[in-house]
């Protein structure tokens, strides 16, 4: 829970505010919960890779130079109030 905290980057190429990845292709992380975050000035805001059955709630993403949300191999997850 970010509890409304601001994650501020400097728009550097390749940066992520939040990157959830198992580190191993084919091995999925489950039951991840990230909420109440304010994200600005990263290349990517929220990126998930190999994530299942997780919740991402009330995440505000501004001024990204790439994708705000980038999801790969992420299934059965909920994104609400983003």
């Amino acid at each position: 829970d970010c509890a409304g905290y601001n994650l501020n980057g400097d728009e550097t190429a390749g940066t992520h505010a939040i990157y959830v990845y198992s580190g191993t292709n084919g091995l999925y992380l489950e039951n991840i919960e990230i909420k109440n975050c304010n994200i600005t000035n990263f290349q990517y805001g929220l990126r998930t890779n190999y994530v299942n059955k997780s919740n991402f709630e009330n995440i505000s993403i501004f001024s990204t130079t790439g994708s705000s949300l980038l999801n790969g191999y992420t299934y059965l997850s909920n994104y609400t109030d983003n």
Side-chain angles (χ1 to χ4, degrees):
D1 188 344
C2 291
Y5 186 78
N6 297 318
L7 302 173
N8 297 308
D10 60 7
E11 298 181 350
T12 300
T15 57
H16 303 80
I18 300 171
Y19 189 6
V20 182
Y21 175 45
S22 72
T24 304
N25 292 346
L27 176 65
Y28 288 84
L29 296 175
E30 293 187 349
N31 301 314
I32 304 297
E33 184 172 326
I34 298 174
K35 61 183 180 179
N36 304 318
C37 303
N38 297 306
I39 296 170
T40 56
N41 300 321
F42 288 87
Q43 182 172 4
Y44 304 104
L46 170 61
R47 183 174 182 180
T48 60
N49 209 355
Y50 293 97
V51 175
N52 281 340
K53 302 175 187 171
S54 296
N55 294 302
F56 305 94
E57 180 181 350
N58 194 30
I59 300 171
S60 299
I61 303 171
F62 303 98
S63 300
T64 56
T65 58
S67 300
S68 296
L69 293 172
L70 184 60
N71 304 308
Y73 302 102
T74 299
Y75 304 104
L76 304 171
S77 293
N78 296 309
Y79 295 82
T80 55
D81 296 326
N82 296 307

